[in-house]
Amino acid sequence: MERAVQRRFVGLTAVVAALGLTATLSGCGSDAGDGDVTLKLVAADYGSDAESSSEKYWADVAGKFEKENPGIHVDVSVYSWKDVDREVAEMVKAGNAPDIAQIGAYADYAAAGKLYTADEMIAIRTGSNFLPSLTAAGEVDGNLYGLPFVASTRLLFYNKGLFAKAGLGAPETWDDIESDAAALERKGVTYPFALPLGQEESQAETLMWMLSGGGNYTDEVGNYDIDSAANIATFQWLKDHLVGKGLTGPVAPGKLDRAKAFEAFTEGEVGMLNGHPTLMQEAEKKGVQVGMVPLPGIDGPTKGSMGVADWMMGFKQNGHRTEIGKFLDFAYDDENVLSFADRYDLLPVTSSASAAMEADSKHESLHEFLSALPNSQLYPFGKTSWAQASETIKEKIGSAVAPGGSPEAVLTGIAAEARQADTAK
């Protein structure tokens, strides 16, 4: 297990600043007694190395918050995306839940009665400022439990320099991907098409390909449809036309994590892969000219992109409802929201911060991602079984395209586990 990047942010003595955002809370009173309170926050790391680690962002936010709120200290632990959801699950199971978690899923904790609703924690102005599509995705039974933290949409990235050397244009269909990858392979490109189906975030790669093949994780009424004919056909195509033809590079997709694939792209070793805004920033820093197009589909570009949102939630266990609300109101101030979005080239989740980004020419490279967010397809976050289903996908989806693997058998097995978990919830 990867060791946590952990830091204790010590409270600083300071006068209370007159910030309206901490003065008005929708909740009344506190579940905590008098005296100092320490909030335990567990967050995911969006950085690729120590220099870009999210620890620096949370150090800044926690330090400023403590100055504004003497008596409330913030103890932050930052984990890699490979570990953070599991770490929080183990903490909760052991009866040592954090006060605040910034992770990938919330619904199972909400269904178990472990989370505060938004109305119990944050100011009305904070909750009403979230983008409506993301608010809907954060609800269980009509109550908002998952506060959207940051969002992104996904596009197909390609290395313009490598494409130019191979005489290629931007791909629009699956056939284009295959023929372009074959041309790049003949030119000696290490990863003609990087296909990260390892455990780090393969549930995202999986959904992107399902959407491009006309499928999804769920059907029209919200039931799991992982083993649909469209999804099986999609992974059979990947197995036969990319992986089986040696066009996905030297690391088997089931062993290739997203971070490794992204790093290889920034080093100029990847012809194509599915990417998000942060990768665009990192690649351009390394001098890679990035082309971006909607993910090619069977007959043309996929209509509607995949959207991703990560979530913030407040746990009831320690009874720090009011203190949690104060911190969340502070964290969702436009200055903080835009600071995080700027740091990682991601999309803000509030209407006011989104409007500010849209109006700012320095964010022009993100405008295409931003405009795609309202109509993007997200994970089935509101399903209480999603966290467990997501873990199953991470563990097993890579075997669907492995030599000797059966996409139908693997997807059928994943679907059976997801439906069983859904029924158990």
Side-chain angles (χ1 to χ4, degrees):
M1 183 178 296
E2 183 169 323
R3 186 177 181 181
V5 180
Q6 187 173 29
R7 177 174 179 174
R8 164 65 190 214
F9 302 115
V10 181
L12 301 175
T13 302
V15 295
V16 179
L19 284 182
L21 62 89
T22 60
T24 304
L25 297 174
S26 59
C28 38
S30 172
D31 296 338
D34 295 333
D36 286 1
V37 168
T38 295
L39 295 178
K40 181 178 180 182
L41 167 64
V42 175
D45 193 352
Y46 291 75
S48 56
D49 52 32
E51 180 62 27
S52 62
S53 173
S54 300
E55 182 187 16
K56 292 186 176 183
Y57 171 80
W58 289 115
D60 180 62
V61 172
K64 291 177 180 177
F65 174 77
E66 289 181 345
K67 289 179 182 179
E68 304 287 354
N69 295 271
I72 305 178
H73 313 301
V74 185
D75 189 347
V76 181
S77 296
V78 177
Y79 293 87
S80 76
W81 268 114
K82 185 185 293 187
D83 298 324
V84 67
D85 289 282
R86 183 177 66 253
E87 289 285 347
V88 170
E90 290 175 356
M91 291 174 191
V92 173
K93 185 176 181 180
N96 188 32
D99 294 289
I100 303 169
Q102 184 269 298
I103 53 178
Y106 63 85
D108 50 345
Y109 299 124
K114 297 182 182 298
L115 301 180
Y116 292 116
T117 65
D119 287 346
E120 293 173 314
M121 298 183 296
I122 60 176
I124 293 173
R125 65 181 169 277
T126 303
S128 64
N129 197 25
F130 293 127
L131 293 171
S133 60
L134 299 180
T135 298
E139 294 179 347
V140 174
D141 296 330
N143 291 311
L144 181 62
Y145 291 95
L147 311 185
F149 173 69
V150 72
S152 69
T153 51
R154 305 295 169 88
L155 298 171
L156 178 76
F157 284 26
Y158 63 95
N159 184 314
K160 286 185 174 181
L162 296 178
F163 265 59
K165 289 179 181 178
L168 303 173
E172 296 183 356
T173 66
W174 283 3
D175 286 345
D176 291 341
I177 287 177
E178 181 182 1
S179 61
D180 289 352
L184 293 167
E185 193 272 337
R186 290 193 294 271
K187 291 291 185 179
V189 176
T190 305
Y191 293 89
F193 194 105
L195 185 66
L197 295 177
Q199 292 193 27
E200 182 188 0
E201 206 195 15
S202 54
Q203 82 280 9
E205 188 75 17
T206 297
L207 180 55
M208 282 183 276
W209 280 102
M210 286 180 171
L211 292 172
S212 76
N216 205 327
Y217 279 132
T218 56
D219 60 20
E220 295 83 358
V221 295
N223 296 318
Y224 282 119
D225 201 26
I226 297 169
D227 55 348
S228 68
N231 291 340
I232 291 170
T234 293
F235 276 82
Q236 191 67 56
W237 186 89
L238 287 172
K239 182 176 186 292
D240 294 342
H241 292 264
L242 290 186
V243 182
K245 293 186 176 181
L247 301 178
T248 54
V251 180
K255 301 293 184 182
L256 183 64
D257 282 341
R258 182 189 64 172
K260 175 63 177 177
F262 281 14
E263 179 184 357
F265 187 81
T266 65
E267 296 296 331
E269 299 174 351
V270 174
M272 296 172 279
L273 87 174
N274 294 318
H276 58 53
T278 304
L279 176 60
M280 175 185 64
Q281 177 192 58
E282 295 298 321
E284 290 175 348
K285 285 180 181 177
K286 295 285 189 71
V288 175
Q289 290 185 301
V290 181
M292 296 178 291
V293 293
L295 182 63
I298 299 172
D299 299 315
T302 302
K303 296 179 181 179
S305 66
M306 188 194 93
V308 173
D310 302 322
W311 306 97
M312 189 85 81
M313 62 212 69
F315 282 87
K316 293 179 176 180
Q317 180 179 316
N318 301 316
H320 296 153
R321 175 172 60 87
T322 298
E323 292 81 7
I324 291 170
K326 287 183 178 181
F327 180 80
L328 293 175
D329 283 332
F330 184 86
Y332 281 107
D333 179 76
D334 277 359
E335 180 181 352
N336 292 323
V337 171
L338 287 169
S339 173
F340 194 90
D342 282 343
R343 187 181 297 256
Y344 297 108
D345 265 351
L346 292 171
L347 306 180
V349 296
T350 63
S351 296
S352 57
S354 294
M357 178 175 281
E358 183 70 32
D360 193 338
S361 60
K362 80 173 185 178
H363 295 297
E364 186 175 355
S365 62
L366 291 176
H367 289 173
E368 184 175 355
F369 294 97
L370 195 64
S371 63
L373 184 59
N375 297 316
S376 60
Q377 297 288 317
L378 279 72
Y379 302 134
F381 287 116
K383 294 179 77 64
T384 56
S385 57
W386 171 243
Q388 185 173 340
S390 178
E391 287 301 313
T392 303
I393 294 164
K394 292 177 187 179
E395 292 172 6
K396 298 185 176 181
I397 194 63
S399 61
V401 298
S406 166
E408 182 174 8
V410 172
L411 290 173
T412 298
I414 292 172
E417 289 192 42
R419 291 177 184 130
Q420 183 177 11
D422 204 33
T423 302
K425 298 289 185 180

